Amino acid sequence: KTKGLPAIGRRRVDTMELTKGSIMRAYNSDTNQQPIVQVLDVKKMTAKAGSSSDRYRLVISDGEFYQQGMLATQKNHLIESGDLKSFTVI
């Protein structure tokens, strides 16, 4: 059952494995996958003067490789609500 899991696609860690190699495949433009990855770190990047939204830098891992990137500001609510945080499997 997935009771209590948010609608963003967070999966049960005890029943899912990370999709090893999916970061490298995405880096090489493979968009035909729906990998299971884990958020290793979330860091708030304070908004610059004149900007209305803070940004969040994420580090994600597929168990073999890791990659960092910026979360779209439209998804900030996932961080702020606690649905997306370090060690979340998505």
Side-chain angles (χ1 to χ4, degrees):
K1 295 184 179 186
T2 59
K3 183 178 180 182
L5 298 177
I8 62 168
R10 194 161 82 179
R11 297 169 173 97
R12 293 178 58 98
V13 177
D14 61 340
T15 61
M16 301 299 250
E17 288 187 27
L18 300 181
T19 310
K20 291 189 184 326
S22 61
I23 300 255
M24 183 62 75
R25 288 191 295 277
Y27 179 79
N28 289 316
S29 302
D30 179 357
T31 58
N32 297 318
Q33 59 177 342
Q34 291 187 323
I36 298 170
V37 296
Q38 184 175 35
V39 177
L40 296 181
D41 188 47
V42 177
K43 182 176 181 180
K44 184 176 185 176
M45 311 301 283
T46 306
K48 294 182 180 181
S51 177
S52 61
S53 295
D54 289 325
R55 299 291 309 266
Y56 292 93
R57 179 188 58 95
L58 304 179
V59 177
I60 61 169
S61 171
D62 63 10
E64 185 175 7
F65 299 101
Y66 69 92
Q67 178 71 44
Q68 68 177 1
M70 300 301 289
L71 183 68
T73 56
Q74 299 90 335
K75 300 296 183 181
N76 280 359
H77 68 279
L78 298 173
I79 301 287
E80 294 158 359
S81 69
D83 286 339
L84 186 60
K85 57 189 172 191
S86 293
F87 307 114
T88 301
V89 174
I90 54 174

